[in-house]
Every structure is written in C-alpha cells, then in structure tokens.
Amino acid sequence: MKDTIRIAAIHDLSGFGKCSLTVALPILSASGVECACIPTALLSTHTGGFTGYTFKDLSDEMLPIARHWKKEGVRLDGIYSGYLANPAQAETLSEIIDLLATAETKIIVDPVMADNGKYYANFGDDMAQAFKQLCRRAQILTPNVTEASFLTGLPYRAAPHDEAYLRSLTDALGELAPDAIIAVTGAAPEKNSVGVYAVDRRTGETCLCVRPVREGSFHGTGDVFASAFASLMVRGAGLKDSCETAISLVCDSIDRTVARETPRRNGVDFEGALPAYVEKVAELFR
Ligand code: PXL
C-alpha cells in the first residue's frame, strides 16, 4: 500500500461562512493530503459579520476522539490546529499532540484569534497567553501581523510594514519556537501589496511573497493560506514554492470573490480557484 499523507485538522466547524474546517477539508484534499478532523466547536456561522450565531463548545469530545485514534493506530504526518473555542483548549491540544504525534509528525499552529489590530469576538489576552504556550510546540507557525504582535507584545502596526518590522515579529516569535518555520500573513511591505513574510529559523532562509492588494478585508483567507501552506510543507515542498503556491490560491480566490460580488462574510470563492491550484501542486511534485 502506498503511504498516504495524512493531517489532522483541529478547528471549529462553522456551518455557514467558509472558514476553518469548511476551508481546511477541501484544501487539504486538493493538496493531495488526507484530512482527519477534530472539531473544537460547532457554530451556525463564524463570528465575524454575523450576530445571533449558535456556539457549542466541543472540548469534551476532543481527547476521546484522539484516544480512539490512538487505539486504532491512526498515523499522522501533521497536526494542524486553528480556531479554538476557549484558552483551555490549548492545553487539550498539547495533550493530543502528546498522544498522537511521533517524531515524524509536523505540528502546525495557526494562532487564530485576531485581525486588523483587534481580537475576534469572545477572545482577549488570555487567548494570546494560551496560544503562546501552544506555539512552543510548533514546527510551523502561521499568525497574521495582529496575532504575531499579540503573541510577542510588540506593537501592532497597520500597513505598510517595512522588512525590519516583519523581521522583529519573526525574531520575537522565534523565542517561542526557535526551530520553527514562521509565516506571517497580511505582511504588506508597501501600501498596495500584501502577502506573506516567512522565515525558516533552522536554515535562515526567508521569503517575501506579495500580490497587489484588493480593497477591504476577506473572511477566511488566513485559513485558505494556512491550509495550503501546511499541506505543501508537510508534503515536502520548499519554503518559497509553498508560499507562492498558497498565496496564488488566496489571490485567485479573492479575485473571484470580487468579480462575482460575493458577500464578504460568506467567505472567499476558493472553489473555482481549485482546478488551477491542483495543477500547480501537481507541477511541484512532478
Ligand atoms: O477564520 C477564522 C475564524 C475561524 N472560526 C471562527 C471565526 C473565525 C474568525 O472570525 O469566527 C468561528
């Protein structure tokens, strides 16, 4: 049997408004990665741009799911966490890593909690403290600029960001995760371009990958980037190829959202961007 690459995605399931698991599942699949899921919470919608959403904390299910997988011998090439229901789930995540990770399992932490200088609904400094502990276990970290600033205590700056500022964020994050690959999204070296600034702390390789900016903010793009980036890195692609291929999926998805005038809170139109993405992924591994 040929080995499957398998990643456990540990995020919320928001039924409407594409983000977290409804983004991770299709994008991991399109990246040629099998996606196993541990939902952290069940919501009717995500919490940005909707009111009156339902919210069921699934903390009590997470460890039992992991223990069952352990018993069944489920092998994982990656554990990729995102949105957590509460700060205590960071400790649960750590226990899941202890149970299921082997020396070959890459730990990817997307510290989903804030954007544009502000925490998401229901989150505050206790979430940043909890994520700080979880980041210590990560081999790949994918915060946006706001999350990087909240994790490190460095000031949040709106765009444009000079390279020295971006570097100060990755250096400070490197104190939490000294050997990690750190990819900071929403990095905008000029006012009219935005993308990712990434550093591999083991080799010193850096990569700045940006595209022309589109007006406004687009919900779920951090999840689109991190899902593609995590998949490609776990499959063994290089830093630059992974950044460029993941950013191209984000940009194509945003362009389609703008062209089709899809309401922003629905999430980005990544579906129509997947065929070209699948081709690019095939090219990387040919
Ligand atoms: O895309 C990040 C995210 C994930 N999950 C939920 C969210 C958000 C951002 O607002 O509300 C439930």
Side-chain angles (χ1 to χ4, degrees):
M1 189 178 74
K2 204 157 190 281
D3 262 2
T4 300
I5 304 278
R6 181 181 303 113
I7 296 179
I10 309 184
H11 306 244
D12 69 287
L13 174 55
S14 286
F16 183 76
K18 289 169 283 182
C19 67
S20 38
L21 279 183
T22 59
V23 164
L25 257 169
I27 292 179
L28 266 62
S29 302
S31 308
V33 170
E34 184 179 307
C35 183
C37 297
I38 302 184
T40 59
L42 174 65
L43 292 83
S44 50
T45 65
H46 61 70
T47 67
F50 296 96
T51 53
Y53 46 83
T54 69
F55 189 110
K56 172 98 180 149
D57 184 320
L58 295 176
S59 298
D60 291 348
E61 296 293 323
M62 293 168 66
L63 272 169
I65 291 172
R67 287 192 196 108
H68 182 219
W69 289 2
K70 174 85 177 173
K71 205 161 115 225
E72 295 291 339
V74 176
R75 180 191 51 75
L76 297 173
D77 301 285
I79 295 177
Y80 159 40
S81 73
Y83 182 98
L84 305 181
N86 56 57
Q89 281 191 353
E91 180 52 35
T92 309
L93 231 325
S94 197
E95 288 178 52
I96 291 174
I97 293 167
D98 290 338
L99 263 176
L100 295 176
T102 66
E104 280 75 49
T105 310
K106 286 225 163 29
I107 310 301
I108 303 111
V109 174
D110 189 6
V112 176
M113 61 179 159
D115 203 1
N116 301 311
K118 291 200 298 272
Y119 283 109
Y120 293 140
N122 316 316
F123 291 162
D125 291 341
D126 53 348
M127 200 70 202
Q129 286 307 318
F131 269 128
K132 241 170 124 160
Q133 295 310 317
L134 190 58
C135 286
R136 294 182 196 281
R137 307 214 56 178
Q139 281 127 27
I140 300 178
L141 262 181
T142 57
N144 59 35
V145 170
T146 305
E147 289 157 350
S149 115
F150 289 3
L151 287 168
T152 59
L154 291 172
Y156 165 74
R157 285 200 209 150
H161 313 113
D162 57 35
E163 197 155 340
Y165 175 65
L166 296 170
R167 184 77 203 192
S168 71
L169 293 177
T170 56
D171 282 350
L173 288 166
E175 286 171 27
L176 298 176
D179 296 325
I181 289 158
I182 301 171
V184 177
T185 58
E190 291 149 24
K191 195 98 195 143
N192 56 357
S193 62
V194 64
V196 62
Y197 176 74
V199 178
D200 183 337
R201 301 264 315 168
R202 293 162 311 176
T203 63
E205 181 183 359
T206 63
C207 170
L208 177 64
C209 176
V210 293
R211 296 288 163 84
V213 84
R214 293 286 205 167
E215 234 9 84
S217 76
F218 293 85
H219 204 91
T221 46
D223 298 327
V224 173
F225 174 83
S227 298
F229 186 71
S231 301
L232 298 174
M233 293 300 295
V234 169
R235 283 194 65 184
L239 183 67
K240 187 162 182 286
D241 283 342
S242 299
C243 282
E244 283 182 352
T245 310
I247 285 289
S248 75
L249 175 60
V250 173
C251 289
D252 291 354
S253 304
I254 288 176
D255 287 348
R256 281 176 51 81
T257 307
V258 171
R260 300 171 82 228
E261 299 180 19
T262 309
R264 296 290 172 92
R265 67 182 193 169
N266 293 16
V268 285
D269 289 348
F270 66 81
E271 295 85 352
L274 287 179
Y277 173 73
V278 168
E279 267 305 302
K280 284 186 186 134
V281 173
E283 200 58 48
L284 282 183
F285 297 103
R286 209 167 324 265

